[in-house]
Amino acid sequence: MFGIGLTIVGLARFQFAMTTVFHFFFVPFSIGMGFVVAVMETMYCVKKDKVYRDMAKFWGKIFLLSFAVGIVTGLIQEFQFGMNWSEYSRFMGDVFGAPLAIEALLAFFIESVFIGIWMFTWDRFTPGWHAFMIWMTSIGTMLSAIWILAANSFMQHPTGFTIAMMGGRTRIKLTNFGDVVANPQLWRVFPHLIIAAIMTAGVVIAGMSAWGLLRKKDGENHFFKVSLKFGLWVGLVGSILTIFAGDFQTQQMIKDQPMKFAATEGIYQNTKDPAPWTVIETIDAKGHKTSGEVELPKVLSLLTYHKTTGSVKGMNTINKELNDQYGNKKFGTQMGSELDFYPPAKTLFWSFRIMTLVAFIVLVFDFLGLLFSRKNKDTIENKKWLLYCLGIGIWVPFIGNSAGWFVTEFGRYPWIVYGLFTISQAVSPSSTIGSLLFSNILYFLLFTFLGGVMVWYSRQTLHQGPYFEDKDSKQNVDPFAKEAFGK
Amino acid sequence: MMTLSILWFLIIGLLFAIFVFMEGFDFGVGMSTQLIAHDQMEREAIMSSIGPHWDGNETWLVTAGGAMFAALPIWYASLFSTYYYLLMLVLVSLIIRGVSFEFTKHAETKFGKNLWMWTFFCGSFFAPFLLVMMLTSMIQGVPLNANGDAIGLGFFDVVNWLSLVGGVAGVLLSLVHGLNFLRLRMEGPIRDRARQLNKVLYPILFAGEVVFALLVIFQTDFFTKKPVSTTIIILFIVLFSLLGYYGVLKDREGWSFVGSGLSLSTVIVLIFNGMFPRVMIGTHGNSISIANAANSHYTLTVMTIVACILVPIILIYFIWSYTLFTKRINPKDNTVKY
């Protein structure tokens, strides 16, 4: 599927994809959870209703679990550029290092210090001040996203640089830091990612609350109902806004990376005018052909240009254009007369559809959930089928997030920095198949293990319910409790 | 151009020095859980002494790595691709250590608690061992080609007497530092046990420092290139260790903590001083210097402005976060449950 064999570049790519996808299970979830927990705690400060405090505490535990796994897997990301992609680091260091360092200075310190304080000071501060700590953490996670996306946006659409000789080698030279920060890619991908992150948190909270309601344990009903409604609202609003933010970002993609867009739509030939939207098709990526389309007339024109006319360029045309622009001028003729700028079309086509489908699934189910939990006709508890759907659907946004990341990263192929540096130029010359295989296997085992443990403990936390600790501490407080004398 | 890149060499050194000071005691505390705790309750109390802080402490490493990338990327690329296996194992150590804080809290079974306590211990042991191994191997030089890649790096380039002794010294210093930290933060018998263990460890540490100094003389060019400064810095390492030992003997835990922390930081000073103006020492004459590893003047200026604004702010809330948790922890009455 990824066209990866046992080559150094292939293994290094696989490792990057694996570590990023795994890291990216936890990043959007943590960003979203941090935000919603901060909102919950603020609601407690405003409404003084104890249930919101319980919610912030309980969902905070899930947040902390994902934060822990997210942070440690992020460690690999930072060092991987040097380990597996040293040529990339040398070429790109002048631009790429700065956002990473600023991310650490501006975001990681805020996150890591304030989350430490927040965890251990529930009884030390007034509710308002304690809520301030989680807000700082949440702001830290979002700032972190801005800077990592700034670095990534440069790779998608380089701005504010020249190519120059530095220290005896050809490197990118930063000329305008403001341009890197003001990169239009960045400010279009950021809202999309943050909203999708918050939606993810909403879906998980709604889903876990649904399981909580299905269990029907005494005294927890109210907690899980309030949580369910909260999660459903976050998910519904999030899914609607994600769709808009996604469209907003797509407009930039059409402009900067037409090849990526054509691939996500699976178009090889230029479309007719107006362009129909392909729902499904089979793609022959080697032969540059598609067949068996199911099409909706005019919709692609509408999606692309926001009007009912206009043809969309296909990959064959764009490949010719890219050849004129970059082909032999940059790499000479040693790679053949015609260079291959085709990204992995199947992956992109299906990733895009999965991502979009996820948003709509969340939209529909969260709408139904809210419909059945209206104030006067509250029947959600009896709608077991819906609760099961919500509970089982917890993993759906994670698939959507990964698919979105696939679109962004695979669509850049064959570039690592768009128009400047290819993936195969970027890999470490000192890498060996052995070292990469070893690290791939080790990371894979570690990730599977950690992910499994995290899911297991989240499940256990849900099973214990929101009032688990309270009972525990009551036993300790009352010296004449039955338990103190044994059974 | 040159002055700014030297400034960033110093900043990276400073970030590493702060990192080993802060994370040094974190690692030591991690090792203490299996060395001086008698039961699970005590292990968790020891763990909770760094619970709110470890994440922030580790961020200094992330920042140092980021600063290397942002200021001297050729160094970053060469160093991390050269020490591929070591760095990978460092990362694995840090990962299993990092998750063990959160996972211990959730573990219910005895097996689970033991498992996460042991991953905590192993991570805390291997991370400083491997990190210092990497640094002490680096100062002996590696076979770099003209591009700065260590192709044909042999096993004994990485694993040799100096790097092994260095690794052990790193572990010992961290452990001693962690025990000194526990004496500051804990109540009850753990304090005494920490002190008793330190009384035993310090003489071993002094022997280790002597061996380390001798190996630095024979295995690196530090003494031929910078005899005076290298000697003075090594003396300071010993002096700070003596200060720590004095604090242990006289039961002045404040002094011993400062002493052990500074001796760790001074090891970084030794390494950075000896390398200057090189950042990677090539055994085939292809050393990488600050000048040809550095980023453009413009980028360095941007980074300098950013650092000048942010670092003071970070220090303020970083220190403030420590002032929030000054109450000594009693394992029998530990409100911070792990």
Side-chain angles (χ1 to χ4, degrees):
Chain A
M1 179 173 152
F2 308 129
I4 283 167
L6 280 185
T7 61
I8 286 175
V9 179
L11 284 168
R13 286 185 71 198
F14 182 80
Q15 185 166 323
F16 199 85
M18 174 177 72
T19 49
T20 315
V21 165
F22 190 80
H23 183 52
F24 206 67
F25 282 150
F26 301 100
V27 171
F29 183 49
S30 302
I31 293 175
M33 283 302 272
F35 177 77
V36 294
V37 170
V39 171
M40 285 169 181
E41 213 180 328
T42 312
M43 284 170 84
Y44 167 65
C45 296
V46 175
K47 292 192 169 180
K48 307 268 186 279
D49 185 345
K50 200 178 157 293
V51 75
Y52 289 110
R53 183 185 150 100
D54 297 338
M55 275 163 69
K57 268 200 163 170
F58 180 76
W59 299 110
K61 281 187 208 163
I62 309 289
F63 166 56
L64 288 171
L65 268 170
S66 86
F67 191 86
V69 184
I71 228 164
V72 293
T73 50
L75 276 172
I76 293 179
Q77 297 300 329
E78 192 199 13
F79 294 99
Q80 192 171 195
F81 295 109
M83 292 166 78
N84 289 343
W85 305 97
S86 63
E87 284 298 297
Y88 169 81
S89 304
R90 289 177 182 128
F91 180 71
M92 271 283 277
D94 205 44
V95 171
F96 197 79
L100 285 193
I102 297 173
E103 185 192 20
L105 284 168
L106 184 65
F108 286 162
F109 272 114
I110 295 182
E111 281 174 52
S112 59
V113 169
F114 282 93
I115 202 170
I117 300 172
W118 181 76
M119 281 164 84
F120 295 105
T121 54
W122 277 96
D123 306 315
R124 298 256 315 252
F125 291 112
T126 59
W129 272 110
H130 193 256
F132 172 76
M133 306 303 161
I134 186 75
W135 274 114
M136 288 303 285
T137 311
S138 173
I139 290 168
T141 61
M142 292 186 189
L143 285 174
S144 164
I146 289 185
W147 290 101
I148 201 70
L149 289 174
N152 188 266
S153 296
F154 186 91
M155 295 163 78
Q156 308 287 344
H157 178 62
T159 48
F161 71 99
T162 57
I163 305 279
M165 285 293 282
M166 281 197 290
R169 54 180 101 228
T170 314
R171 291 166 59 186
I172 284 187
K173 188 166 179 242
L174 182 65
T175 54
N176 190 336
F177 186 67
D179 282 354
V180 173
V181 180
N183 192 331
Q185 280 273 347
L186 166 61
W187 297 106
R188 292 193 177 224
V189 67
F190 179 69
H192 188 179
L193 185 136
I194 294 292
I195 297 167
I198 293 169
M199 179 193 89
T200 306
V203 171
V204 174
I205 290 177
M208 288 180 72
S209 304
W211 287 122
L213 280 177
L214 283 167
R215 229 176 60 230
K216 289 201 168 150
K217 211 165 155 186
D218 272 353
E220 289 179 359
N221 206 29
H222 178 61
F223 174 89
F224 280 123
K225 268 189 93 168
V226 178
S227 293
L228 178 72
K229 245 184 146 168
F230 187 95
L232 288 173
W233 270 115
V234 172
L236 179 73
V237 176
S239 61
I240 295 169
L241 291 178
T242 325
I243 294 167
F244 281 104
D247 174 62
F248 184 60
Q249 192 198 342
T250 306
Q251 295 306 310
Q252 192 66 28
M253 177 166 98
I254 294 164
K255 219 172 127 219
D256 297 337
Q257 299 171 320
M259 185 58 120
K260 187 191 277 185
F261 181 68
T264 58
E265 296 301 343
I267 310 163
Y268 282 100
Q269 305 295 334
N270 296 357
T271 65
K272 47 194 181 202
D273 183 4
W277 185 64
T278 312
V279 187
I280 36 174
E281 64 180 14
T282 27
I283 297 174
D284 172 15
K286 278 203 185 110
H288 302 162
K289 273 186 308 210
T290 61
S291 54
E293 292 96 341
V294 178
E295 290 179 342
L296 297 176
K298 291 189 183 179
V299 175
L300 185 58
S301 294
L302 202 67
L303 289 173
T304 315
Y305 306 110
H306 293 174
K307 57 180 187 186
T308 49
T309 52
S311 137
V312 176
K313 262 190 233 170
M315 282 184 271
N316 292 343
T317 315
I318 301 167
N319 189 48
K320 282 212 179 66
E321 287 176 6
L322 287 171
N323 261 295
D324 292 341
Q325 200 180 344
Y326 302 112
N328 301 343
K329 244 193 292 173
K330 263 215 157 64
F331 302 105
T333 46
Q334 80 270 23
M335 292 166 83
S337 54
E338 185 91 337
L339 291 184
D340 186 1
F341 289 96
Y342 290 97
K346 270 189 215 167
T347 312
L348 287 172
F349 181 82
W350 290 111
S351 296
F352 194 80
R353 266 142 199 78
I354 290 167
M355 174 176 70
T356 322
L357 186 66
V358 163
F360 281 103
I361 290 176
V362 174
L363 178 72
V364 169
F365 280 94
D366 284 10
F367 177 75
L368 284 177
L370 284 169
L371 193 71
F372 291 125
S373 49
R374 281 168 301 171
K375 236 181 205 145
N376 40 5
K377 289 209 173 133
D378 187 358
T379 55
I380 184 92
E381 279 159 279
N382 308 327
K383 299 276 182 285
K384 278 201 173 166
W385 62 272
L386 185 58
L387 292 178
Y388 274 111
C389 283
L390 290 171
I392 292 166
I394 288 175
W395 52 272
V396 166
F398 293 92
I399 301 293
N401 292 337
S402 301
W405 200 243
F406 276 12
V407 170
T408 308
E409 298 299 82
F410 279 108
R412 201 180 44 205
Y413 188 86
W415 304 111
I416 198 161
V417 189
Y418 210 83
L420 295 172
F421 211 61
T422 63
I423 294 168
S424 50
Q425 284 175 300
V427 82
S428 296
S430 56
S431 283
T432 60
I433 300 254
S435 65
L436 279 162
L437 259 182
F438 183 54
S439 52
N440 265 318
I441 293 168
L442 188 67
Y443 288 153
F444 181 80
L445 293 175
L446 187 67
F447 288 167
T448 319
F449 179 61
L450 292 184
V453 172
M454 194 225 136
V455 172
W456 176 262
Y457 282 146
S458 299
R459 209 181 136 266
Q460 178 192 289
T461 306
L462 177 68
H463 192 74
Q464 288 164 344
Y467 303 110
F468 177 68
E469 254 189 358
D470 286 359
K471 274 183 200 154
D472 189 41
S473 58
K474 256 180 215 148
Q475 283 178 3
N476 293 340
V477 170
D478 181 6
F480 299 109
K482 267 188 211 156
E483 286 83 352
F485 301 100
K487 279 181 186 169
Chain B
M1 158 96 195
M2 196 53 201
T3 39
L4 266 189
S5 46
I6 290 171
L7 175 71
W8 272 92
F9 179 75
L10 296 176
I11 292 176
I12 293 164
L14 180 70
L15 291 170
F16 269 109
I18 299 179
F19 164 69
V20 295
F21 192 108
M22 307 308 297
E23 191 82 333
F25 68 72
D26 269 7
F27 291 148
V29 167
M31 288 182 254
S32 310
T33 50
Q34 301 295 347
L35 294 176
I36 60 166
H38 286 176
D39 55 28
Q40 186 62 21
M41 190 177 68
E42 288 188 351
R43 271 190 279 278
E44 293 186 18
I46 289 175
M47 198 180 208
S48 70
S49 71
I50 51 169
H53 305 304
W54 72 272
D55 201 355
N57 293 345
E58 202 161 289
T59 306
W60 291 103
L61 176 69
V62 178
T63 310
M68 260 171 120
F69 202 167
L72 304 160
I74 311 295
W75 183 19
Y76 168 89
S78 281
L79 178 66
F80 291 171
S81 60
T82 299
Y83 290 101
Y84 193 91
Y85 287 104
L86 267 191
L87 197 61
M88 179 178 69
L89 295 174
V90 168
L91 292 176
V92 171
S93 308
L94 291 176
I95 287 170
I96 59 169
R97 180 176 185 276
V99 292
S100 53
F101 285 92
E102 196 58 34
F103 286 174
T104 309
K105 229 189 294 187
H106 288 266
E108 296 230 291
T109 57
K110 202 166 174 227
F111 170 78
K113 283 192 187 298
N114 274 333
L115 175 70
W116 300 122
M117 275 300 166
W118 275 106
T119 57
F120 184 46
F121 173 82
C122 292
S124 304
F125 175 84
F126 281 107
F129 181 75
L130 299 168
L131 265 174
V132 181
M133 241 183 121
M134 180 173 98
L135 292 174
T136 42
S137 159
M138 176 183 74
I139 57 176
Q140 299 171 68
V142 280
L144 295 177
N145 64 15
N147 191 41
D149 296 306
I151 289 165
L153 181 81
F155 178 77
F156 294 106
D157 288 319
V158 182
V159 183
N160 51 47
W161 281 114
L162 176 56
S163 70
L164 285 172
V165 170
V168 172
V171 168
L172 263 179
L173 268 171
S174 300
L175 177 56
V176 161
H177 191 34
L179 290 168
N180 286 333
F181 178 77
L182 283 180
R183 288 171 65 225
L184 282 174
R185 290 286 287 120
M186 302 292 287
E187 252 178 18
I190 287 181
R191 268 172 59 94
D192 302 322
R193 273 179 248 151
R195 186 163 166 233
Q196 292 309 324
L197 183 56
N198 255 352
K199 276 187 186 164
V200 179
L201 288 176
Y202 262 107
I204 304 172
L205 180 66
F206 289 125
E209 283 175 357
V210 172
V211 177
F212 181 72
L214 286 172
L215 285 166
V216 168
I217 293 177
F218 292 111
Q219 300 285 44
T220 70
D221 56 11
F222 284 13
F223 276 94
T224 44
K225 294 223 161 162
K226 301 187 186 70
V228 181
S229 56
T230 305
T231 314
I232 292 173
I233 293 170
I234 286 185
L235 282 178
F236 265 100
I237 296 176
V238 178
L239 207 68
F240 286 133
S241 304
L242 279 171
L243 175 68
Y245 194 35
Y246 164 81
V248 170
L249 293 177
K250 298 277 169 194
D251 210 359
R252 300 269 161 83
E253 58 254 46
W255 283 117
S256 50
F257 177 69
V258 172
S260 53
L262 286 178
S263 28
L264 264 168
S265 299
T266 316
V267 174
I268 299 294
V269 177
L270 176 77
I271 290 170
F272 273 67
N273 174 70
M275 282 198 302
F276 183 84
R278 303 160 297 180
V279 285
M280 284 293 275
I281 301 169
T283 45
H284 302 337
N286 288 316
S287 292
I288 302 172
S289 69
I290 295 175
N292 48 33
N295 269 335
S296 68
H297 183 68
Y298 178 73
T299 299
L300 293 176
T301 314
V302 171
M303 286 308 300
T304 309
I305 295 169
V306 170
C308 284
I309 298 170
L310 291 179
V311 171
I313 300 174
I314 291 166
L315 284 175
I316 290 170
Y317 65 73
F318 194 82
I319 293 167
W320 172 69
S321 78
Y322 273 84
T323 63
L324 288 174
F325 303 95
T326 46
K327 195 170 169 288
R328 285 187 202 264
I329 298 163
N330 186 334
K332 288 193 178 128
D333 179 30
N334 183 17
T335 50
V336 181
K337 281 264 161 46
Y338 264 101

